[in-house]
Amino acid sequence: MVDFRPIAYVFGRILIVLAILMLGPAAIDWSAGDENASALLFSAVITGGIGGLIALATANGLRGSFDVRQAYLLTAVIWFGLPVFAGLPFMLGVPNLHFTEAYFEAVSGITTTGATVIYGLDGMPAGMNLWRGLLNAAGGLGIAFVAMIFLPVMRVGGMQFFRTEGFDTFGKAVPRATDLAKQLLGVYLGLIVIAGLTFAAIGMNALDATVHAMAAIATGGFSPRDGSFNEYIGAGEYLGALFMFLGSLPYVRYVQLVNGDSRPLWQDSQVRAYVKVLGLAVGTVTLWRWFTSDMEFEDVFRESLFNLTSIMSSTGFFSGSFPLWDGYMLIVAFVIGIIGACSGSSASGLTVFRVQLAAAALIQQLRQIVTPGRVSPVKYDGRTVGADVLDALMLYVAGFILTLGVLTVAMTLTGVDTTSSLFAVWTALGNIGYGFGPMVERTGTFVDFPDAAKWIMTLAMLLGRLGLLTIFVLVLPRFWQR
């Protein structure tokens, strides 16, 4: 029998933290005389009150560390339950926004997807836009903790590879999870502050600089502008691409960097592959668009760099004519969105690490066919990859592709056209944030989708964020057996 008390206790404590976060946006709207402050304050009271009651009722159940089943359940409870309360400010403060849309918006923020059902962001109260940015920042930090501490323990998608003591990501640099968490928090907040000051220096107002900084480092994509970065064409695009890229690198490498060791960052096979794939995508799309349009080369390069970095880092910002891309450009965007950025960051998709291992396993199988007697184990960074890692990896990749197909078909059954359905599931499952298709063109949001389609996207966002198997395993009867 699973002891739910430790799970409930941690969830209650997190609700209290969420309530405290709501007070900042409430104070901003209150000082501006905006009535939206009452919606945020009321949401904080409800969230904090329920969280406090849960924590008090289960405080005696927290003993020792979590076992694997409790880790699975805690991860699911946090990401499924938190948006119920995080969506309260949207439901109470945004006109005509019902529970489905409020939950969608909160899930999108916490999973750092960046897809939205709110149109008219420029006219929204500052506190509400700040709340969206805070959801991105909190979600990105939580995801980094899960990716670096929980997923290796839960053996999701081959992430157990990072548990090996000889691998310096989790062994030598920071020996304990507590130390790792503290240093990760410092690095994460430091990057947000640097990004915010940089954005302010190029002319963004305080709200835009703050929200864009939190969303860029968290690879979340929420912007206080309907036009995203179209308000900051030029330097804003270059700097936005830089911070999205920095936010999608393995955070543990930053921890090692501030501890005085820069070699792991430059020598990381995953980081090098990420730079190469992104560089190839930007280079080919830039040349394609330059030869097939009358745009200046610098404009084409800047727009391609920003938007492709946004997609591969699973952020969701956009600029320029990106919503009108088609043909080769759209194919490249689709592929790199599936690949995603680095494991150990808040970015999503398959991640470069998994794609590298899948490619290595495929090459190994081809060699076995050509030379059956040859023993050629799969290796990553000079280390032999175990069969358990490869099995988990292949199951994850197959599950990702199958889930993409099944949810796309389910989306079309709600009345959404095929193109909009495919890219809606693509953007949700990969936590990318921006969609294509006829149903997105009017507003650039998902507000025109039927409620059933929004729930499918919500499920896809959660599945993509939690590594698919973290959720699928919960429906197995054997999981609940002793």
Side-chain angles (χ1 to χ4, degrees):
M1 184 68 178
V2 178
D3 186 358
F4 290 95
R5 290 176 300 171
I7 298 168
Y9 178 75
V10 172
F11 182 65
R13 294 287 295 270
I14 292 176
L15 286 182
I16 294 172
V17 173
L18 188 71
I20 294 172
L21 288 178
M22 291 178 185
L23 297 178
I28 289 176
D29 281 348
W30 179 79
S31 64
D34 196 301
E35 61 182 15
N36 182 66
S38 60
L40 285 160
L41 186 59
F42 187 55
S43 300
V45 171
I46 293 175
T47 303
I50 293 177
L53 290 174
I54 293 174
L56 285 173
T58 57
N60 63 341
L62 190 63
R63 298 188 183 94
S65 59
F66 285 83
D67 61 29
V68 174
R69 283 193 300 178
Q70 288 174 325
Y72 274 103
L73 286 169
L74 177 61
T75 304
V77 166
I78 290 173
W79 260 269
F80 275 88
L82 214 56
V84 174
F85 298 90
L88 285 176
F90 300 127
M91 195 160 56
L92 299 176
V94 180
N96 304 316
L97 206 71
H98 50 78
F99 176 76
T100 294
E101 293 172 329
Y103 190 78
F104 178 103
E105 195 77 10
V107 168
S108 181
I110 291 173
T111 60
T112 70
T113 301
T116 184
V117 290
I118 299 176
Y119 184 65
L121 296 170
D122 301 74
M124 274 217 315
M128 195 64 77
N129 271 318
L130 178 60
W131 176 239
R132 295 172 78 245
L134 285 171
L135 287 181
N136 269 176
L141 182 62
I143 289 156
F145 283 137
V146 168
M148 290 172 24
I149 298 172
F150 279 86
L151 294 187
V153 175
M154 296 188 289
R155 308 169 70 84
V156 172
M159 290 295 287
Q160 64 264 41
F161 182 80
F162 294 111
R163 293 185 67 189
T164 306
E165 292 180 357
F167 190 54
D168 65 0
T169 299
F170 286 96
K172 301 174 183 177
V174 225
R176 294 185 303 162
T178 302
D179 294 335
L180 176 62
K182 290 178 180 178
Q183 295 187 55
L184 170 61
L185 177 62
V187 167
Y188 188 80
L189 295 178
L191 286 172
I192 290 177
V193 170
I194 293 171
L197 293 175
T198 304
F199 286 147
I202 64 170
M204 288 190 188
N205 61 44
L207 176 66
D208 284 12
T210 302
V211 175
H212 283 143
M214 290 189 288
I217 299 303
T219 65
F222 270 167
S223 170
R225 303 278 185 173
D226 287 323
S228 194
F229 265 68
N230 278 320
E231 298 288 333
Y232 303 102
I233 296 294
E237 290 172 292
Y238 283 119
L239 292 171
L242 171 63
F243 288 113
M244 286 188 289
F245 174 78
L246 293 177
S248 58
L249 297 179
Y251 282 119
V252 73
R253 299 307 183 199
Y254 291 122
V255 173
Q256 292 168 319
L257 187 63
V258 298
N259 284 334
D261 190 1
S262 62
R263 290 175 299 174
L265 176 62
W266 312 124
Q267 295 174 358
D268 193 319
S269 174
Q270 184 179 201
V271 173
R272 294 199 304 269
Y274 177 33
V275 172
K276 289 176 183 177
V277 173
L278 181 58
L280 179 63
V282 172
T284 57
V285 168
T286 297
L287 292 175
W288 179 276
R289 297 185 66 214
W290 188 42
F291 285 125
T292 57
S293 71
D294 56 358
M295 295 178 64
E296 295 293 329
F297 180 82
E298 193 275 335
D299 293 333
V300 173
F301 171 73
R302 172 172 31 83
E303 190 177 298
S304 300
L305 173 67
F306 179 85
N307 289 291
L308 291 175
T309 301
S310 178
I311 289 174
M312 192 166 186
S313 67
S314 71
T315 303
F317 291 140
F318 68 91
S319 70
S321 61
F322 176 63
L324 303 178
W325 283 16
D326 58 12
Y328 174 76
M329 302 173 292
L330 197 54
I331 292 173
V332 171
F334 186 85
V335 171
I336 65 172
I338 293 291
I339 294 173
C342 298
S343 295
S345 73
S346 58
S348 190
L350 289 175
T351 71
V352 175
F353 164 71
R354 292 191 179 104
V355 173
Q356 284 178 292
L357 279 189
L362 177 61
I363 293 172
Q364 188 264 354
Q365 287 298 313
L366 292 175
R367 287 174 176 168
Q368 287 290 105
I369 293 173
V370 176
T371 56
R374 179 178 179 179
V375 178
S376 180
V378 176
K379 292 189 176 184
Y380 183 84
D381 266 354
R383 289 180 51 217
T384 299
V385 180
D388 63 326
V389 174
L390 291 177
D391 289 344
L393 168 75
M394 293 308 175
L395 182 61
Y396 182 87
V397 173
F400 189 96
I401 296 171
L402 182 61
T403 303
L404 176 65
V406 170
L407 292 184
T408 298
V409 173
M411 182 81 76
T412 61
L413 297 178
T414 68
V416 179
D417 65 277
T418 304
T419 301
S420 299
S421 294
L422 175 61
F423 279 98
V425 177
W426 166 79
T427 200
L429 192 62
N431 302 122
I432 298 164
Y434 191 81
F436 294 89
M439 292 198 69
V440 181
E441 288 176 358
R442 184 180 73 86
T443 62
T445 73
F446 297 91
V447 67
D448 292 330
F449 279 54
D451 283 354
K454 290 171 185 171
W455 280 112
I456 290 172
M457 286 189 67
T458 301
L459 175 62
M461 286 188 278
L462 291 165
L463 287 172
R465 185 72 278 169
L466 297 178
L468 299 178
L469 305 180
T470 308
I471 305 303
F472 290 155
V473 74
L474 298 180
V475 302
L476 298 177
R478 191 170 183 178
F479 173 83
W480 301 96
Q481 297 170 3
R482 181 173 295 275

